[in-house]
Amino acid sequence: MILQGDKIVRQYKHKSGVINALDQVSFMVEKGDFVTVTGPSGSGKSTLLLSMFGLVRLTSGTVIFNGQRIDDCSDRKLTEIRRKSVGYILQSFALIPYLTTIQNVMMPLALDRVPAGEQLKRASEILDFVGLSDRMDHLPRELSAGQQQRVAIARSIVHRPAIIMADEPTGNLDPALSLEILEFLKKINREQHITIMMVTHSPVAAEYGSMKLHLRDGKIVIRNS
Ligand SMILES: Nc1ncnc2c1ncn2[C@@H]1O[C@H](COP(=O)(O)OP(=O)(O)O)[C@@H](O)[C@H]1O
Ligand SMILES: [Mg+2]
């Protein structure tokens, strides 16, 4: 088991009262799983993804990652865990507009103070893997949407994370590009043995899950594996 959430609660206080964005959510993810999280808008999907590694703090409950309890870790420790072990892919690609493809992909390694030569080597390998070796010196705006998302994915796996957390990674892409990205995530899951937890509202994307969680009103209402 790589990730476990136990009785996770996240409340938001709002003028209109307390919102239970996550209400006693428990689940287990095995190493190598491809987990999909579906549910209506506002059901708590993003909150679930963000709360696993401390980008959102829990109101109560526990998170265990690789056998270690992490929900009570300091922000500094959680930042370290995210940098070392987690790759995030979000709907907006969040590429740095004035950096080239290769520079964008090298960024997480630079933050981790990996030597420059090694950064270049690893970023080139990953860009080869995502089929963009001929676009290394392009700026984001010189790439198609699908290519930009592949750069974002390359950047999220270049530090060899144990797990990828993806929030609607195909949300802004047309159906053909969405399929390309999904196939790609499947390939990463199978060939690089990276566990994936992916939020999606697309039934097609949800079919990629080896384990499927469905949320409603902050609760898990269906799980299939
Ligand atoms: N920062 C916040 N402040 C107040 N309420 C929030 C905040 N973030 C999320 N919520 C509420 O929590 C619930 C779950 O939100 P979210 O996890 O973003 O849902 P989803 O990703 O499934 O659309 C929603 O009712 C939302 O309005
Ligand atoms: Mg969301």
Side-chain angles (χ1 to χ4, degrees), residues 95-115:
L95 297 174
I96 300 171
Y98 52 85
L99 296 182
T100 63
T101 295
I102 186 97
Q103 289 168 336
N104 264 287
V105 175
M106 280 160 51
M107 183 57 76
L109 302 176
L111 288 173
D112 216 18
R113 299 209 175 80
V114 171

Side-chain angles (χ1 to χ4, degrees), residues 71-177:
D71 58 277
D72 56 355
C73 287
S74 65
D75 286 337
R76 170 187 270 206
K77 177 73 184 161
L78 282 162
T79 303
E80 185 190 314
I81 293 170
R82 286 194 299 269
R83 255 191 207 157
K84 184 165 172 289
S85 308
V86 189
Y88 284 93
I89 305 173
L90 305 172
Q91 189 173 354
S92 60
F93 318 130
L95 297 174
I96 300 171
Y98 52 85
L99 296 182
T100 63
T101 295
I102 186 97
Q103 289 168 336
N104 264 287
V105 175
M106 280 160 51
M107 183 57 76
L109 302 176
L111 288 173
D112 216 18
R113 299 209 175 80
V114 171
E118 178 74 10
Q119 286 180 32
L120 198 59
K121 180 169 168 283
R122 279 168 58 181
S124 312
E125 279 168 12
I126 294 288
L127 283 170
D128 202 29
F129 180 74
V130 304
L132 285 177
S133 344
D134 54 348
R135 293 289 185 279
M136 298 227 250
D137 298 319
H138 282 55
L139 292 170
R141 65 179 154 78
E142 297 169 331
L143 298 169
S144 71
Q147 288 170 337
Q148 287 183 43
Q149 188 60 310
R150 275 190 282 158
V151 176
I153 292 174
R155 185 181 55 181
S156 75
I157 61 175
V158 72
H159 60 305
R160 302 183 185 126
I163 188 164
I164 288 179
M165 308 297 268
D167 197 349
E168 314 235 12
T170 60
N172 279 332
L173 304 176
D174 68 37
L177 283 179

Side-chain angles (χ1 to χ4, degrees), residues 40-47 91 167-168 199:
S41 175
S43 58
K45 305 181 299 295
S46 294
T47 305
Q91 189 173 354
D167 197 349
E168 314 235 12
V199 166

Side-chain angles (χ1 to χ4, degrees), residues 2 30-34 66 85 129 157 160-164 184-196:
I2 182 165
E30 299 296 336
K31 200 168 185 307
D33 272 352
F34 192 142
N66 278 336
S85 308
F129 180 74
I157 61 175
R160 302 183 185 126
I163 188 164
I164 288 179
F184 209 71
L185 289 171
K186 187 161 100 183
K187 180 170 151 171
I188 292 167
N189 176 243
R190 299 239 168 109
E191 294 177 15
Q192 314 252 331
H193 309 290
I194 297 177
T195 307
I196 297 181

